[in-house]
Amino acid sequence: MQQTSEVLEVSGKVAWKIAQIGYWAWQDRCDIIEKSITRHRRWIEAEAVGQYHTPAYKSVVERISVKVAQGCTDAYPDENMDESYSITVSAPEVVISSAQVWGALRAIETMSQLIYPDPQHVRLLVNRGSVVDKPKYSYRGFMIDTSRHYIPMQIIMKQLDAMEAVKLNVLHWHLTDDHSFPYVSEVYPELSRKGAYNQHTHVYTAKDINEVIQEARLRGIRVIPELDIPAHTRSWSKGHPEMFNQCSRKKFNEGKGPLLDIENSQTFKVLEKLIGEISNVFRDKNFHLGGDEFYHDCIPGSTPSIVNFFQELRSIIGRVSGSTTIRAMFWQDLLKMGATVPQNSIVNVWKHWVNDENYLKQAISTSNISIIVSHPWYLDNMSRGEKWRLNYDVEMFKQLGDSKVRSRVIGGQACLWAEFVDATNFLQWAWPDAGGTAENLWSDKVPSSKSGDVQERMNELRCRLIVRGIPARPIQAGFCDTEWAY
């Protein structure tokens, strides 16, 4: 931000004026912006606990105007959304400008962080200046795992608030795994009836998922589903044992677990209907189909069935959605199992670049893949000391020398696997650490965590999250003006 030394007071009656440039006659209301303003006004006002009185400052901000060149939209955020924005802070008006509403959302979040209380907490202040900002990467995600432990809806909603605070824009929802099948399918209800921890309390219906998607839209967050197949499917076996061959059935209780029978036509019939249903529920133009930890005990590598399996999944997505624009996503294990990598798919690197760089180069040449990076930000990794620094001080391309591979990276994500995480500690484990992930994916230049004011800013993020109802854990000795209380 470019700023002067002049400090402006934010009037206790500051108004947010909604304006869509060029669309005055078309629409003068926008649910996305109005609800964002409602949320942020509540949080900003919580920063000041005293009563406003006659200001001692000569300059007062009386209104904040939001101007969106392309007007409002009833669409959902997507991989091509424009999140750029500018802010001009002066008196009596602050002007927020963006091309699309998604940029306005990011600007409102930034504005809420530029406003700060005076030492007595009776006034809200802001420095005169300007901001021009845009993200470094278009994909900035957070993966939640709702199979190993069930994560209640209210925790997922709080997660969306936290993601908004740091401008993360993708919720990658790892729906199912070996441990449980919590998705309530209308076409195959027996999967959750027999595969969920509890078919009544530990499940997500299409209505539940739609509520998450609607709240995510209002925050400029995409929601991408993952069905992790053909491995990690033990929970499927309770409802559909015919989808597993004799070899896999013997491994139901082993550590490696069973594998869907990808040589069985019935497997593909179930997958086509299930993928079609989930694709319609989630709406996003990406669909994650897993592909990790594919053990060859029951199906040898490089057999025709393996070679063609993931390509057939991509064909299924096209058929059931009626669109060729939906992109399949896979974990990087797919590259080394002898399978055909589907065209235009997205590969999620979670095992580091080492030993896989050549596979990635080949997939770029033959299948035009894009890449997202997860391996630096596994938040469930247990470590001693200041864990947040490990997620902040990240060299995303460490040990990757190939510029062609680097150029295909569209972003990255934090992952929180749920072996040791449930409703009691999910938010504490995730935050404020994921703030380091967010800063690496948004900002062009990220300083060392031990330089300048980084630690102070991370602590400020933690305190801001607490004001917003998120019990982020402390990163050092200290306090927040508003402490967490249940």
Side-chain angles (χ1 to χ4, degrees), residues 88-135:
T88 301
V89 180
S90 61
E93 182 178 38
V94 172
V95 177
I96 289 172
S97 299
S98 66
Q100 296 182 352
V101 291
W102 317 117
L105 288 180
R106 307 304 173 227
I108 292 169
E109 178 58 48
T110 295
M111 191 64 216
S112 76
Q113 298 178 22
L114 296 177
I115 297 172
Y116 58 95
D118 71 2
Q120 289 74 40
H121 280 254
V122 295
R123 294 185 180 89
L124 291 174
L125 310 175
V126 64
N127 292 353
R128 184 190 296 271
S130 62
V131 176
V132 178
D133 200 11
K134 64 180 181 180

Coordinates of all heavy atoms in Angstrom, one line a residue, residues 88-135:
T88 N -8.7 3.3 -3.0 CA -8.2 4.6 -2.8 C -8.8 5.1 -1.5 O -10.0 5.2 -1.4 CB -8.5 5.5 -3.9 OG1 -8.0 5.0 -5.1 CG2 -7.9 6.9 -3.7
V89 N -7.9 5.4 -0.5 CA -8.4 5.8 0.8 C -8.1 7.3 0.9 O -7.0 7.8 0.9 CB -7.6 5.1 2.0 CG1 -8.1 5.6 3.3 CG2 -7.7 3.6 1.8
S90 N -9.2 8.1 1.1 CA -9.1 9.5 1.3 C -10.3 10.0 2.0 O -11.2 9.1 2.4 CB -9.0 10.3 -0.1 OG -10.2 10.0 -0.9
A91 N -10.5 11.2 2.3 CA -11.6 11.7 3.0 C -12.4 12.6 2.1 O -11.8 13.4 1.3 CB -11.2 12.5 4.3
P92 N -13.7 12.5 2.0 CA -14.6 11.8 2.9 C -14.9 10.4 2.4 O -15.8 9.7 3.0 CB -15.8 12.6 3.0 CG -15.9 13.2 1.6 CD -14.5 13.4 1.2
E93 N -14.3 9.9 1.3 CA -14.7 8.7 0.7 C -13.6 7.7 0.4 O -12.5 8.2 0.0 CB -15.5 9.0 -0.6 CG -16.0 7.7 -1.3 CD -16.8 8.1 -2.6 OE1 -16.3 9.0 -3.3 OE2 -17.8 7.5 -2.8
V94 N -13.8 6.4 0.7 CA -12.9 5.4 0.2 C -13.6 4.7 -1.0 O -14.7 4.4 -0.9 CB -12.7 4.3 1.3 CG1 -11.9 3.1 0.8 CG2 -11.9 4.9 2.5
V95 N -12.8 4.6 -2.0 CA -13.3 4.0 -3.3 C -12.7 2.6 -3.6 O -11.4 2.6 -3.7 CB -13.2 4.9 -4.5 CG1 -13.7 4.2 -5.8 CG2 -13.9 6.2 -4.3
I96 N -13.5 1.6 -3.6 CA -13.0 0.3 -4.0 C -13.5 0.0 -5.5 O -14.6 0.2 -5.8 CB -13.7 -0.8 -3.1 CG1 -13.0 -0.7 -1.7 CG2 -13.5 -2.2 -3.7 CD1 -13.7 -1.6 -0.7
S97 N -12.5 -0.4 -6.3 CA -12.8 -0.6 -7.7 C -12.3 -2.0 -8.2 O -11.2 -2.4 -7.8 CB -12.2 0.5 -8.6 OG -12.7 1.7 -8.3
S98 N -13.1 -2.7 -9.0 CA -12.7 -4.0 -9.5 C -13.5 -4.2 -10.8 O -14.5 -3.6 -11.1 CB -13.0 -5.1 -8.5 OG -14.4 -5.2 -8.3
A99 N -12.9 -5.2 -11.6 CA -13.6 -5.6 -12.8 C -14.8 -6.5 -12.5 O -15.9 -6.3 -13.1 CB -12.6 -6.3 -13.8
Q100 N -14.6 -7.4 -11.6 CA -15.7 -8.4 -11.2 C -15.9 -8.4 -9.7 O -15.1 -7.9 -9.0 CB -15.3 -9.8 -11.7 CG -15.1 -10.0 -13.2 CD -14.7 -11.4 -13.5 OE1 -14.4 -12.2 -12.7 NE2 -14.7 -11.7 -14.8
V101 N -17.1 -8.9 -9.3 CA -17.4 -8.9 -7.9 C -16.4 -9.7 -7.1 O -16.2 -9.4 -5.9 CB -18.8 -9.5 -7.7 CG1 -19.9 -8.7 -8.2 CG2 -18.9 -10.9 -8.2
W102 N -15.7 -10.6 -7.7 CA -14.7 -11.4 -6.9 C -13.5 -10.5 -6.5 O -13.0 -10.7 -5.4 CB -14.2 -12.6 -7.8 CG -15.3 -13.3 -8.5 CD1 -15.5 -13.4 -9.9 CD2 -16.5 -13.9 -7.9 NE1 -16.6 -14.1 -10.2 CE2 -17.3 -14.4 -9.0 CE3 -16.9 -14.1 -6.6 CZ2 -18.5 -15.1 -8.8 CZ3 -18.1 -14.8 -6.4 CH2 -18.9 -15.3 -7.5
G103 N -13.1 -9.6 -7.3 CA -12.1 -8.6 -6.9 C -12.6 -7.7 -5.8 O -11.9 -7.4 -4.9
A104 N -13.9 -7.3 -5.9 CA -14.5 -6.5 -4.8 C -14.5 -7.2 -3.5 O -14.2 -6.6 -2.4 CB -15.9 -6.1 -5.2
L105 N -14.8 -8.5 -3.5 CA -14.7 -9.3 -2.2 C -13.3 -9.2 -1.6 O -13.2 -9.0 -0.4 CB -15.1 -10.7 -2.5 CG -16.6 -11.1 -2.8 CD1 -16.7 -12.5 -3.0 CD2 -17.4 -10.6 -1.6
R106 N -12.3 -9.4 -2.4 CA -10.9 -9.4 -1.9 C -10.6 -8.0 -1.4 O -9.9 -7.8 -0.4 CB -9.9 -9.8 -3.0 CG -10.2 -11.1 -3.6 CD -10.3 -12.3 -2.7 NE -10.8 -13.5 -3.4 CZ -11.7 -14.3 -2.9 NH1 -12.3 -14.0 -1.8 NH2 -12.0 -15.4 -3.6
A107 N -11.1 -6.9 -2.1 CA -10.8 -5.6 -1.6 C -11.5 -5.2 -0.3 O -11.0 -4.6 0.6 CB -11.3 -4.6 -2.7
I108 N -12.8 -5.7 -0.1 CA -13.5 -5.5 1.1 C -12.7 -6.1 2.3 O -12.6 -5.6 3.4 CB -14.9 -6.0 1.0 CG1 -15.7 -5.1 0.0 CG2 -15.6 -6.0 2.4 CD1 -17.1 -5.7 -0.4
E109 N -12.2 -7.4 2.0 CA -11.4 -8.0 3.0 C -10.2 -7.2 3.4 O -9.8 -7.0 4.6 CB -11.0 -9.4 2.6 CG -10.1 -10.2 3.6 CD -10.8 -10.3 4.9 OE1 -11.9 -10.7 5.0 OE2 -10.1 -10.0 5.9
T110 N -9.5 -6.7 2.3 CA -8.3 -5.9 2.6 C -8.7 -4.6 3.4 O -8.0 -4.2 4.3 CB -7.6 -5.5 1.3 OG1 -7.1 -6.7 0.6 CG2 -6.5 -4.5 1.5
M111 N -9.8 -4.0 3.0 CA -10.2 -2.7 3.6 C -10.5 -3.0 5.1 O -10.1 -2.2 6.0 CB -11.4 -2.2 3.0 CG -11.8 -0.8 3.4 SD -10.6 0.4 2.9 CE -10.6 1.5 4.3
S112 N -11.0 -4.1 5.4 CA -11.3 -4.5 6.8 C -10.1 -4.6 7.6 O -10.1 -4.4 8.9 CB -12.2 -5.7 6.9 OG -11.4 -6.9 6.7
Q113 N -8.9 -4.9 7.0 CA -7.7 -5.1 7.7 C -6.9 -3.8 7.7 O -6.0 -3.7 8.5 CB -6.9 -6.2 7.0 CG -7.5 -7.6 7.0 CD -6.8 -8.7 6.3 OE1 -5.6 -8.6 6.1 NE2 -7.5 -9.7 5.9
L114 N -7.2 -2.8 6.9 CA -6.6 -1.5 6.9 C -7.1 -0.7 8.0 O -6.4 0.2 8.5 CB -6.7 -0.8 5.6 CG -6.1 -1.5 4.3 CD1 -6.4 -0.7 3.1 CD2 -4.6 -1.6 4.5
I115 N -8.3 -0.9 8.4 CA -9.0 -0.2 9.5 C -8.5 -0.7 10.8 O -8.5 -1.9 11.0 CB -10.5 -0.2 9.4 CG1 -10.9 0.4 8.0 CG2 -11.2 0.5 10.5 CD1 -12.4 0.3 7.7
Y116 N -8.1 0.1 11.7 CA -7.6 -0.3 13.0 C -8.1 0.6 14.1 O -8.4 1.7 13.9 CB -6.1 -0.4 13.0 CG -5.4 1.0 12.7 CD1 -5.0 1.8 13.7 CD2 -5.2 1.4 11.4 CE1 -4.4 3.0 13.5 CE2 -4.6 2.6 11.1 CZ -4.2 3.4 12.2 OH -3.6 4.6 11.9
P117 N -8.2 0.0 15.4 CA -8.6 0.8 16.5 C -7.5 1.7 17.1 O -6.3 1.4 17.0 CB -9.1 -0.2 17.5 CG -8.2 -1.4 17.2 CD -8.0 -1.4 15.7
D118 N -7.9 2.9 17.6 CA -6.9 3.7 18.3 C -6.6 3.0 19.7 O -7.2 2.0 20.1 CB -7.4 5.1 18.5 CG -8.6 5.2 19.6 OD1 -8.9 4.2 20.1 OD2 -9.1 6.3 19.8
P119 N -5.5 3.5 20.4 CA -5.1 2.8 21.6 C -6.2 2.6 22.6 O -6.2 1.7 23.5 CB -3.9 3.6 22.1 CG -3.4 4.3 20.8 CD -4.6 4.5 20.0
Q120 N -7.2 3.6 22.6 CA -8.2 3.5 23.6 C -9.4 2.7 23.2 O -10.4 2.5 23.9 CB -8.7 4.9 24.0 CG -7.7 5.8 24.8 CD -6.5 6.2 23.9 OE1 -6.7 6.6 22.7 NE2 -5.3 6.2 24.5
H121 N -9.3 2.2 22.0 CA -10.4 1.4 21.4 C -11.8 2.2 21.4 O -12.8 1.6 21.7 CB -10.6 0.1 22.1 CG -9.6 -0.9 21.6 ND1 -9.9 -2.0 20.8 CD2 -8.3 -1.0 21.8 CE1 -8.9 -2.7 20.6 NE2 -7.8 -2.1 21.2
V122 N -11.7 3.5 21.1 CA -12.9 4.3 21.0 C -13.1 4.8 19.6 O -14.2 5.2 19.2 CB -12.9 5.5 22.0 CG1 -13.0 4.9 23.4 CG2 -11.7 6.4 21.7
R123 N -12.1 4.8 18.7 CA -12.2 5.2 17.4 C -11.6 4.2 16.4 O -10.7 3.4 16.8 CB -11.4 6.5 17.1 CG -12.0 7.8 17.8 CD -11.2 9.0 17.3 NE -11.6 10.2 18.0 CZ -11.1 10.6 19.2 NH1 -10.2 10.0 19.8 NH2 -11.5 11.8 19.7
L124 N -12.1 4.1 15.2 CA -11.5 3.3 14.2 C -10.8 4.3 13.2 O -11.3 5.3 12.8 CB -12.6 2.5 13.4 CG -13.2 1.4 14.2 CD1 -14.3 0.7 13.4 CD2 -12.2 0.3 14.6
L125 N -9.6 3.9 12.8 CA -8.7 4.8 12.0 C -8.3 4.0 10.8 O -8.3 2.8 10.7 CB -7.5 5.2 12.8 CG -7.8 5.8 14.2 CD1 -6.4 6.0 15.0 CD2 -8.6 7.1 14.1
V126 N -7.8 4.8 9.8 CA -7.2 4.2 8.6 C -6.3 5.3 8.0 O -6.5 6.5 8.1 CB -8.3 3.9 7.5 CG1 -9.1 5.1 7.1 CG2 -7.7 3.1 6.4
N127 N -5.2 4.8 7.4 CA -4.2 5.7 6.8 C -4.6 6.0 5.4 O -5.0 5.2 4.6 CB -2.8 5.0 6.8 CG -2.2 4.9 8.2 OD1 -2.8 5.4 9.2 ND2 -1.1 4.2 8.3
R128 N -4.4 7.3 5.0 CA -4.7 7.7 3.7 C -3.7 7.0 2.7 O -2.5 6.8 3.1 CB -4.5 9.2 3.5 CG -4.8 9.8 2.1 CD -4.4 11.2 2.0 NE -5.2 12.1 2.9 CZ -6.3 12.7 2.6 NH1 -6.9 12.4 1.4 NH2 -7.0 13.4 3.4
G129 N -4.1 6.5 1.6 CA -3.2 5.9 0.6 C -4.0 5.1 -0.4 O -5.2 5.4 -0.7
S130 N -3.3 4.2 -1.1 CA -3.9 3.5 -2.2 C -3.3 2.1 -2.3 O -2.2 1.8 -1.9 CB -3.7 4.2 -3.6 OG -2.3 4.3 -3.9
V131 N -4.1 1.2 -2.8 CA -3.7 -0.3 -3.0 C -4.1 -0.7 -4.4 O -5.2 -0.4 -4.8 CB -4.4 -1.2 -1.9 CG1 -4.1 -2.6 -2.2 CG2 -4.1 -0.8 -0.5
V132 N -3.2 -1.3 -5.1 CA -3.5 -2.0 -6.3 C -3.0 -3.5 -6.1 O -1.8 -3.7 -5.9 CB -2.8 -1.4 -7.5 CG1 -3.1 -2.2 -8.8 CG2 -3.3 0.1 -7.7
D133 N -3.9 -4.4 -6.3 CA -3.5 -5.8 -5.9 C -4.2 -6.8 -6.8 O -5.3 -6.6 -7.3 CB -4.0 -6.0 -4.4 CG -3.3 -7.1 -3.7 OD1 -2.3 -7.7 -4.2 OD2 -3.8 -7.5 -2.6
K134 N -3.5 -8.0 -6.9 CA -4.0 -9.1 -7.6 C -3.3 -10.4 -7.1 O -2.1 -10.3 -6.6 CB -3.9 -9.0 -9.1 CG -2.5 -8.9 -9.6 CD -2.5 -8.8 -11.1 CE -1.0 -8.7 -11.7 NZ -1.0 -8.6 -13.1
P135 N -3.9 -11.6 -7.3 CA -3.2 -12.8 -6.8 C -2.1 -13.2 -7.7 O -2.2 -13.0 -8.9 CB -4.3 -13.8 -6.7 CG -5.3 -13.3 -7.8 CD -5.2 -11.8 -7.8

